[in-house]
Amino acid sequence: MRNLLCIYLYFSSLLGYSQINPEWTNSEIKQADVARSILTISEFERDVILYHNLVRLFPQKYLQVEIQNFTQDTETKDKLKFDFTWNPQNINSKYFKSLIKKLSNQKPLPKLVFDNSLNLSAKCLAKEQSKNGKIGHFRKKCKDAMAEKDLGRFISSFGTAENCGYGVYNGKDAVNQLLIDEGVSNLGHRKNILNPKYTRIGVGIDFHPKYEKVIVIDYAFVNYFKE
């Protein structure tokens, strides 16, 4: 299996053109690249937010540029610790084909805005898993990171959601992995990314002792925030 996915639903400078398909215009990138100037997150984390917004703002173009010409990085980066290569995505699978159908008919959605509280929540779980080697959504020291008492801004835990991915090495592949949602029957990761109610996002990426990378993405509804 290419990589692992998990889901739990809780009810500026531009990228260099060497890093993004040149078919995207400066205007499109500028609209989507909302976190490039935030210095507290990594380039990888900024790219995850960028590709979330590209598929939300321009779904048909995203299909044409990123999905119909699908490529991915399957080589591990630390070959001394991780002596394997991930299997490439099967573009003939029903999950891949269903994404093509979905994006063909998808209406544009509002872009997601970076939120520091969600970012801290995502980073907390990613850091925890980098130490204990676990996967999924179970939190130990940061188990209440999505709760109102910790964030101070959420009215209800049912206004948030979380995606997790493992074994991807750049923002585009991280988002495409979750969009395809290979092997996830309810397509929950894809639904989170394309949920029109979510308006806030935070991303945490860290080393994983078994899968090399862990990516945690937290989302929230705007109407669940205290202004």
Side-chain angles (χ1 to χ4, degrees):
M1 187 175 178
R2 167 66 179 88
N3 30 43
L4 300 179
L5 300 173
C6 58
I7 181 169
Y8 177 65
L9 282 174
Y10 303 99
F11 254 167
S12 172
S13 60
L14 303 179
L15 272 181
Y17 283 108
S18 63
Q19 300 176 37
I20 191 168
N21 193 303
E23 291 187 47
W24 293 110
T25 68
N26 284 350
S27 175
E28 289 166 339
I29 299 171
K30 186 175 181 179
Q31 291 179 65
D33 201 20
V34 299
R36 193 60 48 183
S37 63
I38 299 171
L39 302 180
T40 56
I41 63 175
S42 68
E43 288 295 311
F44 194 155
E45 290 161 344
R46 294 169 194 151
D47 290 350
V48 169
I49 296 172
L50 167 64
Y51 282 94
H52 268 78
N53 282 334
L54 285 174
V55 72
R56 286 172 66 94
L57 291 168
F58 314 107
Q60 281 76 50
K61 184 168 183 178
Y62 195 93
L63 171 61
Q64 175 187 353
V65 173
E66 306 295 352
I67 302 302
Q68 291 181 335
N69 297 308
F70 183 78
T71 60
Q72 62 189 142
D73 183 359
T74 59
E75 293 289 335
T76 54
K77 302 309 164 193
D78 187 342
K79 294 188 179 299
L80 294 177
K81 291 183 178 179
F82 303 92
D83 187 21
F84 58 81
T85 299
W86 292 107
N87 293 326
Q89 171 66 43
N90 177 12
I91 62 173
N92 293 312
S93 76
K94 66 178 182 179
Y95 295 94
F96 193 87
K97 291 179 178 179
S98 74
L99 177 61
I100 292 175
K101 182 178 180 181
K102 174 66 175 176
L103 293 182
S104 296
N105 300 294
Q106 177 67 47
K107 294 181 180 179
L109 302 170
K111 63 186 176 184
L112 299 170
V113 177
F114 173 82
D115 183 87
N116 190 57
S117 295
L118 294 174
N119 183 64
L120 292 174
S121 170
K123 282 184 176 295
C124 183
L125 180 57
K127 176 60 69 176
E128 199 168 89
Q129 292 187 358
S130 76
K131 295 178 180 178
N132 63 26
K134 295 183 181 298
I135 63 173
H137 302 276
F138 175 77
R139 296 165 181 258
K140 190 175 181 181
K141 292 183 179 179
C142 59
K143 63 182 178 180
D144 294 322
M146 297 295 289
E148 181 181 358
K149 67 179 182 180
D150 291 319
L151 295 184
R153 301 176 59 213
F154 292 110
I155 297 173
S156 169
S157 61
F158 292 101
T160 62
E162 183 170 86
N163 281 350
C164 297
Y166 302 85
V168 287
Y169 310 111
N170 61 73
K172 178 174 70 173
D173 285 356
V175 174
N176 287 344
Q177 171 201 3
L178 294 164
L179 281 168
I180 296 167
D181 234 359
E182 187 73 32
V184 180
S185 59
N186 68 357
L187 301 176
H189 304 93
R190 182 189 303 176
K191 291 175 182 177
N192 279 348
I193 293 173
L194 298 176
N195 189 326
K197 293 184 177 181
Y198 293 140
T199 60
R200 314 284 179 107
I201 187 172
V203 181
I205 297 172
D206 216 313
F207 168 83
H208 193 277
K210 185 175 181 180
Y211 300 108
E212 194 167 13
K213 286 291 182 182
V214 49
I215 300 95
V216 180
I217 308 162
D218 287 339
Y219 311 86
F221 293 179
V222 66
N223 59 314
Y224 280 86
F225 282 87
K226 295 178 180 178
E227 301 297 345

